[in-house]
Each structure stands twice: as C-alpha cells, then as structure tokens.
Amino acid sequence: LNATEQLALPHLLTLLGPRTKLVAVQHVSNVLGAVAPVGEIVAAAQGVGARVLLDACQSVPHMPVDVGRLGVDFLVASGHKMCGPTGVGFLWGRGEVLEGMPPWQGGGEMIDQVSVDGSTFLPPPARFEAGTPAITQAIGLGAACDYLRTLGMEAVEEYEHELGAS
C-alpha cells in the first residue's frame, strides 16, 4: 500500500516479468474500501503475457461491475456477500481463455463422447462442471442476483456512499 492506503501500483509493476503467468488482485479492499486500478493492472499483466484473476467478492455486491470493460481473464465472487446462501459463488472466465483450457476434473455431464481410445469434452462452461453441482445454493445465488439487479447496483452504491457520509 502507498501513503494513501491504495494499492502501490508502481511497486506491483516492478514485480511483473516474463515468468509471471497470473496476476491475482482484489477489486475492492474489504478493510479499506480502496478500489484497485484494474485497467492499469490488466494492461501491465498483458504486457508480460500474464492472465488476470480479479477477486470481486467485495465489489460485485456493492457497485456495478462490467466484466467486459474491466478486461480481466477471470473474475470470482462469493454468494453470501451478495445476499445469497453460503457455500456457493462463481468463477467467470473469458470465453477464449476457457476454450484453451483442459478440464481439471472428469465426470458427470462434462463429457461429450467416450470411446475406447479416449473422450472429448463439452465446450465451456460445461467442460468445467464435473459432478453434481450445488443445485440449491446455485438457485439461491440466482435469486440473490435477481434481488440485487432489481434494486439496481447504482442505487446500492449510492446508498452505501450516503451511509458512509453520515
């Protein structure tokens, strides 16, 4: 952190190099509320050929988040921070990145075809969904997303700023 308790971006940039494969950073600090300069981090990571994973657990439930505009490769969020059930969250991945990744587990409905010589896998995201999903929790997370969308994330962010100013 720098003197204003923001991410020390110049220092972070010195840590990136040709051996860097993944840059993982939080979008918003759960302690200080500092918002990371995601655009600059993405540009620097791409400059060395690295992927970017954004921890959006603190931002998604509190402000509008446009994944496409952020330019990250992966984004994660937690259900319980979004008024949803515990034990569920999501991992979003950019389509072209997911297409190039092999599955990390096998089973369930992620298989396309099986033969004596091998198997093929469904396209993303199904390729990464081996086994029985947490169906009840996923339905609850969907309901929480609908609730937040109904409130409007701009309104949620504005209200939180009003509370902070009081």
Side-chain angles (χ1 to χ4, degrees):
L1 296 177
N2 62 20
T4 61
E5 298 182 342
Q6 302 289 319
L7 177 69
L9 186 61
H11 178 67
L12 172 65
L13 299 180
T14 68
L15 302 174
L16 302 181
R19 292 182 52 208
T20 306
K21 301 299 179 205
L22 179 69
V23 176
V25 64
Q26 65 185 19
H27 193 186
V28 175
S29 167
N30 65 332
V31 175
L32 302 171
V35 180
V38 176
E40 295 173 70
I41 294 168
V42 167
Q46 288 174 342
V48 298
R51 303 280 186 208
V52 177
L53 181 144
L54 187 66
D55 175 348
C57 290
Q58 305 301 330
S59 58
V60 168
H62 300 282
M63 60 193 274
V65 174
D66 184 337
V67 178
R69 199 174 84 225
L70 289 171
V72 298
D73 299 294
F74 304 99
L75 182 138
V76 295
S78 176
H80 74 277
K81 301 214 175 189
M82 299 173 62
C83 306
T86 60
V88 68
F90 66 85
L91 166 64
W92 175 90
R94 206 161 30 91
E96 58 269 21
V97 174
L98 295 177
E99 282 290 339
M101 294 175 62
W104 68 282
Q105 287 186 325
E109 295 185 26
M110 51 82 71
I111 303 288
D112 181 31
Q113 294 185 357
V114 176
S115 71
V116 174
D117 299 320
S119 58
T120 59
F121 307 106
L122 292 172
R127 158 184 320 169
F128 304 105
E129 297 176 1
T132 304
I135 297 167
T136 304
Q137 293 89 336
I139 291 169
L141 177 58
C145 290
D146 290 344
Y147 171 71
L148 290 171
R149 191 173 312 121
T150 299
L151 291 176
M153 294 312 300
E154 293 85 1
V156 170
E157 182 179 32
E158 182 180 322
Y159 184 65
E160 287 187 6
H161 285 287
E162 287 175 19
L163 289 173
S166 299

